[in-house]
Amino acid sequence: MKNQRSSMPRWFSGLTLVPALVVFVGLGVATPSMGLHAATALDVRTAPLVPGGTAVANDLAVRVVDGGREDRGVTQAQVTLFRAGPGSLAERRVTGRLTGTDGRVAFGDLPAGEYVMTVEAAGFQTLERSVRLPAPDAIEVVLQPRPLTLDEVIGTASPLRSGVTYTAAQSFDRDDLTERMGASVGSMLDGEPGVAMRSLGAAATRPVIRGFDGDRILVLENGERMGDVGESAADHAVALDPLAIERLEVVRGPASLLYGSGALGGVVNMTTRDMPRTWSRGWEGAVQTQAASMNRSGSGSGTFLYGADDWATTFRFSAREAGDIRTPAGRIGDTAISSLDGSLGFVRQWNEVRLGFSGSFVDREYGIPEEWDDPDEEVFITMERQSLQARMDWDPRQPGFIEGLEWRTIASRYFQQEIEREIEADGSVDEDVELEYDAISLSSTATLRHGQAGVFTEGAFGVAIRGRQMDIGGDEAFTPGIGERSVGVFTFQEAPLSEDLTFQLGARVEGNWNEARPNDDFPDADQSRNSTAFSGSLGLNWRPAAGWESGIQLARAHRVPLVEELYANGPHIGAGAFEIGTADLADEVSHGLDLFLRRDFARGSVEIAGFANWINDYIAFQPLGQIDEDSGFPVFQYQGTDARMIGGEISADLQLNDIWSAGAGVDWVQGSRTDSAGDPLPSIPPLRTRVQLRADPGRWWAGATFRGISTQDRVAPDELATDGYVLLDAQAGLRVDPMGNHSVILRVDNALNESYRDHLSRLPERDLLMPGRNVSVIYRWRF
């Protein structure tokens, strides 16, 4: 790794991009009428918007309303106009806008003639009709409801398809992911509301949600645990390349109810298209390439799907090569990446049942900057993962009490080595495997959805099983191996308390059985731990009027300690730390309060979210202010303490006009011990702000994002403080053809080449700077 160099050219090495950034705050909204989103009919008719009112010639006024509650408009419905006649939709498209809080939208200065109008809204059937201008009256559209599709709900937050949420969550589709494409999921999500990034080089990054890190954040693939060790240490990476992800969902808040041990802070669910739910006949897919200057990287991927009437097969691959990270102060050695991912999948559809299988692999090697300044020594990690996945969906055409069944499972084999390579004085190479993980795991969940049951209008029951056998070896194995098993049963129920208020109740019981497995360094390891954990949640969702939504949830979550936290005793070369475990640590138990308020209106949205979590027996990775004499590493100990996490996020997006849009956000979290000392917890993100501006006239778009990160001087004992800094990112894109099938994106991260240190960086002693200016180009072709 030390001697590898990327073959990418040194692009734009002298480029300095300083775009002007417009900062604004301004929201003006009208008070909407009260009511509940519901509809039972589909209708189109002309009617005056007010008694006696008419639309001006060559102008068009539209109101979209619910069928069952015609006093209520449908907010955020997409109304699009096309010229009538031959040609593709892209060629005939004239304009499109979203409805406001009362379901109204208006178009002006339209030429007289025939048009085709489509109206789309989540949870309603799409309408298409002809319109002739000038129109004597405004047009009123009454939409018929339909069940929400899985693409319209954040399925990670709920096993139901009601679309009702009780905690803050967000999703990213393939286009969103392409615009922010990076080498890791952590770097792509960094800066989103409440989401930061833990990093140790370019590959070893992982999301941090609301100050929670490691195993307190579950990173899932297609809703199941992956079987890797990304959660256990800073030098471990997520075992899936972002190029494979089709959709990404982030839930901010406790989720042990649905996913078991862990998930005290949230969930990141990465969805691939290896087993698609829907498809069209024939071929479809996408090819993407990316090149970047900061580490002279190049990547490419392809996703291909062939569909018949009742079956489909898929194939994907991705490859990535990157050199060492470059900062404003120079190159950080031992941070290169080389990876290859691929999969094959097959899905068969019967009348009511869909069954899919897939097999995938990951082969990756990446450097760890432990001996980055020594040209004769390097540390790197090799990672292999093979997995088999299966999924079954039963959706009865005429559901009764049982509305559907979903079963998903992942079986995987994971192998990782942390290798130290030294060049001796005589030129020979000495290579030692310092730490090795060899794991076989299974994660499986079955969920049965049902209809009316007493006061509950819909709900779900589920069972989840999980097992892992992990052997740990190597010259410097600092823990024994571990065998883990768990079985959990859960229920999730919803009931309407009124037309505008929905109640949620959930509970989970889970048994966990863990036992240490001996190795050469821990030959007598035979400790075992058994526990029964209870998780639950109570939630309310209130939609008092069109465009307004609020949610509140009380949740109890739990987490079983990791093997490192219990039994570690030695140097961890990849993490650059001497780790000491505590064998009598208790399970973490969290009691959390989450709430949010969201306002959607014609030209944007505002969301305010807050949280408070009280964690009994929180396990802190505490620096002791000591240096181990033999390894030279700083000493850390896993300590149990009671703790509290409080904080919140505010985000706003505003469409200024048909071309310009803007956004802003701020998030803050404070973590503290609640024992007598009351010290701050280590590795807590500082206050962050974000402002962005974007122009999108159709065929191209461009924008800039300003991020301000405050000084973090509220630190744990013996933890280093970090200074605040400001980052400016710029983006631009071109949709080459009218349909947007060919697109090119230019992105400049850290455009001002700011020198800064991230508080969550695990680079040695935080003396190393974060990456400097990075110019990347992305090309994507969809077919």
Side-chain angles (χ1 to χ4, degrees):
M1 298 286 291
K2 179 83 67 176
N3 297 320
Q4 291 181 0
R5 293 292 181 268
S6 172
S7 60
M8 296 301 298
R10 187 187 296 270
W11 288 1
F12 308 106
S13 59
L15 180 64
T16 301
L17 180 63
V18 189
L21 186 65
V22 179
V23 180
F24 78 97
V25 176
L27 299 175
V29 296
T31 302
S33 59
M34 306 290 286
L36 173 72
H37 287 292
T40 58
L42 171 65
D43 191 16
V44 180
R45 54 182 176 265
T46 57
L49 289 178
V50 295
T54 60
V56 178
N58 294 350
D59 287 0
L60 177 63
V62 178
R63 186 178 187 227
V64 183
V65 299
D66 290 354
R69 294 283 305 274
E70 294 189 17
D71 61 327
R72 161 166 297 192
V74 178
T75 305
Q76 297 288 88
Q78 177 70 39
V79 181
T80 309
L81 292 176
F82 303 88
R83 291 191 304 273
S88 68
L89 289 177
E91 295 169 339
R92 295 189 289 115
R93 188 181 187 277
V94 177
T95 185
R97 292 182 181 177
L98 294 173
T99 58
T101 55
D102 56 358
R104 301 175 192 266
V105 65
F107 302 92
D109 298 326
L110 295 171
E114 292 284 344
Y115 293 84
V116 175
M117 179 178 69
T118 63
V119 183
E120 300 173 284
F124 295 93
Q125 292 186 6
T126 298
L127 177 141
E128 180 178 314
R129 62 153 293 176
S130 298
V131 175
R132 175 179 286 276
L133 294 182
D137 298 296
I139 294 176
E140 187 173 275
V141 176
V142 184
L143 294 183
Q144 180 179 359
R146 59 165 173 79
L148 287 165
T149 66
L150 291 175
D151 289 339
E152 296 168 334
V153 300
I154 298 181
T156 308
S158 169
L160 308 181
R161 299 183 183 180
S162 64
V164 179
T165 57
Y166 304 91
T167 59
Q170 62 192 128
S171 63
F172 305 88
D173 62 20
R174 185 65 207 183
D175 290 338
D176 298 327
L177 297 173
T178 299
E179 290 187 12
R180 65 189 69 216
M181 184 56 62
S184 67
V185 173
S187 63
M188 292 166 60
L189 290 177
D190 185 29
E192 292 299 320
V195 185
M197 174 186 68
R198 178 197 77 190
S199 65
L200 182 64
T205 69
R206 188 174 171 88
V208 175
I209 300 179
R210 292 177 166 177
F212 288 101
D213 188 10
D215 193 41
R216 300 180 187 95
I217 302 299
L218 289 187
V219 179
L220 309 174
E221 180 183 359
N222 298 319
E224 292 296 322
R225 299 176 189 240
M226 303 172 63
D228 62 7
V229 293
E231 76 283 355
S232 62
D235 60 320
H236 298 168
V238 176
L240 185 69
D241 195 289
L243 290 165
I245 304 171
E246 189 72 18
R247 179 180 169 91
L248 190 67
E249 296 181 346
V250 179
V251 177
R252 309 196 301 274
S256 287
L257 168 66
L258 298 178
Y259 299 102
S261 175
L264 271 68
V267 175
V268 176
N269 187 17
M270 306 176 294
T271 302
T272 68
R273 206 159 184 231
D274 297 342
M275 298 176 290
R277 297 175 184 270
T278 60
W279 59 84
S280 302
R281 285 183 58 86
W283 286 99
E284 61 180 278
V287 175
Q288 180 172 309
T289 62
Q290 180 179 17
S293 64
M294 179 271 298
N295 55 359
R296 299 179 179 177
S297 67
S299 65
S301 67
T303 302
F304 307 91
L305 182 152
Y306 179 80
D309 290 335
D310 54 6
W311 62 269
T313 185
T314 65
F315 165 68
R316 66 168 169 84
F317 73 90
S318 60
R320 185 182 302 274
E321 292 284 343
D324 290 332
I325 290 174
R326 284 170 169 75
T327 76
R331 181 177 63 87
I332 301 177
D334 300 340
T335 52
I337 310 170
S338 177
S339 69
L340 180 67
D341 297 43
S343 79
L344 285 170
F346 179 82
V347 181
R348 178 71 161 84
Q349 177 77 53
W350 289 274
N351 288 334
E352 298 178 343
V353 177
R354 180 173 58 253
L355 182 62
F357 300 93
S358 72
S360 63
F361 74 91
V362 176
D363 190 347
R364 183 176 302 171
E365 180 176 319
Y366 60 92
I368 296 297
E370 176 54 42
E371 302 292 344
W372 65 276
D373 55 351
D374 185 348
D376 295 328
E377 186 173 350
E378 64 178 330
V379 177
F380 62 94
I381 287 179
T382 63
M383 172 202 300
E384 298 176 9
R385 175 176 177 252
Q386 301 87 33
S387 66
L388 296 174
Q389 300 188 41
R391 182 186 182 95
M392 185 189 73
D393 295 278
W394 173 49
D395 293 301
R397 296 182 183 274
Q398 296 180 336
F401 175 72
I402 303 301
E403 295 188 340
L405 172 67
E406 176 188 283
W407 168 72
R408 57 181 187 261
T409 188
I410 293 182
S412 65
R413 186 257 181 176
Y414 183 83
F415 184 72
Q416 175 177 304
Q417 291 183 328
E418 299 182 10
I419 300 172
E420 184 175 28
R421 180 185 294 158
E422 296 182 70
I423 301 176
E424 306 293 349
D426 59 1
S428 62
V429 176
D430 180 26
E431 189 171 285
D432 299 312
V433 177
E434 305 291 0
L435 187 60
E436 179 179 283
Y437 297 86
D438 192 350
I440 297 175
S441 63
L442 173 72
S443 179
S444 184
T445 306
T447 306
L448 182 73
R449 302 189 311 276
H450 66 79
Q452 184 82 34
V455 298
F456 298 105
T457 55
E458 60 180 320
F461 290 93
V463 59
I465 62 173
R466 179 168 57 91
R468 180 167 68 168
Q469 177 179 300
M470 182 166 65
D471 291 316
I472 299 176
D475 294 343
E476 295 188 2
F478 64 99
T479 72
I482 190 76
E484 303 170 318
R485 292 171 293 151
S486 71
V487 177
V489 293
F490 62 89
T491 183
F492 188 99
Q493 305 290 325
E494 281 186 356
L497 301 181
S498 69
E499 289 185 330
D500 305 318
L501 188 64
T502 304
F503 169 71
Q504 173 265 322
L505 171 67
R508 182 186 184 107
V509 180
E510 181 176 274
N512 293 276
W513 301 270
N514 298 338
E515 59 183 14
R517 295 175 59 84
N519 57 24
D520 291 343
D521 292 279
F522 296 83
D524 300 322
D526 59 357
Q527 304 94 326
S528 63
R529 289 172 57 99
N530 303 327
S531 64
T532 301
F534 300 91
S535 302
S537 66
L538 293 171
L540 289 173
N541 179 280
W542 186 34
R543 298 180 179 182
W548 287 92
E549 182 178 13
S550 62
I552 183 171
Q553 177 177 272
L554 297 172
R556 173 187 168 95
H558 78 282
R559 187 178 77 88
V560 176
L562 299 172
V563 62
E564 292 86 356
E565 296 169 334
L566 294 170
Y567 308 126
N569 186 22
H572 185 176
I573 186 170
F578 189 99
E579 300 184 14
I580 301 175
T582 303
D584 59 353
L585 290 172
D587 291 2
E588 290 184 350
V589 176
S590 168
H591 297 87
L593 170 67
D594 288 83
L595 51 89
F596 74 90
L597 174 65
R598 183 162 51 242
R599 176 71 165 104
D600 293 318
F601 49 96
R603 290 190 173 273
S605 63
V606 177
E607 181 176 282
I608 302 172
F611 64 92
N613 290 279
W614 294 267
I615 307 104
N616 297 331
D617 301 305
Y618 180 90
I619 302 171
F621 190 52
Q622 186 70 39
L624 300 184
Q626 305 170 12
I627 301 296
D628 176 62
E629 292 184 1
D630 293 336
S631 66
F633 293 155
V635 179
F636 289 78
Q637 184 176 18
Y638 294 100
Q639 299 178 351
T641 181
D642 292 340
R644 179 186 64 244
M645 290 277 198
I646 59 173
E649 305 102 24
I650 302 175
S651 59
D653 295 288
L654 184 63
Q655 190 71 38
L656 302 177
N657 54 37
D658 289 343
I659 295 177
W660 290 93
S661 62
V666 60
D667 58 49
W668 166 80
V669 59
Q670 183 182 92
S672 305
R673 293 174 177 256
T674 55
D675 55 18
S676 58
D679 292 327
L681 292 174
S683 301
I684 299 298
L687 175 73
R688 307 181 306 167
T689 58
R690 170 185 56 85
V691 178
Q692 60 189 34
L693 185 68
R694 176 174 170 132
D696 188 348
R699 291 293 297 274
W700 60 270
W701 59 268
T705 302
F706 163 92
R707 290 189 289 159
I709 291 82
S710 300
T711 296
Q712 181 58 292
D713 52 11
R714 188 180 186 276
V715 295
D718 299 308
E719 183 185 22
L720 299 176
T722 50
D723 295 331
Y725 53 91
V726 174
L727 298 178
L728 182 63
D729 303 328
Q731 314 90 25
L734 174 67
R735 302 174 181 97
V736 178
D737 62 306
M739 294 294 290
N741 291 329
H742 296 269
S743 58
V744 179
I745 298 172
L746 173 66
R747 198 174 73 221
V748 184
D749 302 318
N750 191 9
L752 301 181
N753 206 31
E754 178 77 7
S755 298
Y756 70 100
R757 295 174 175 85
D758 190 294
H759 190 71
L760 301 186
S761 170
R762 300 292 178 86
L763 292 171
E765 300 179 1
R766 294 204 182 99
D767 286 340
L768 299 178
L769 296 177
M770 297 297 286
R773 182 186 301 114
N774 182 38
V775 180
S776 62
V777 178
I778 302 169
Y779 167 74
R780 187 181 182 211
W781 169 41
R782 297 182 302 183
F783 58 90

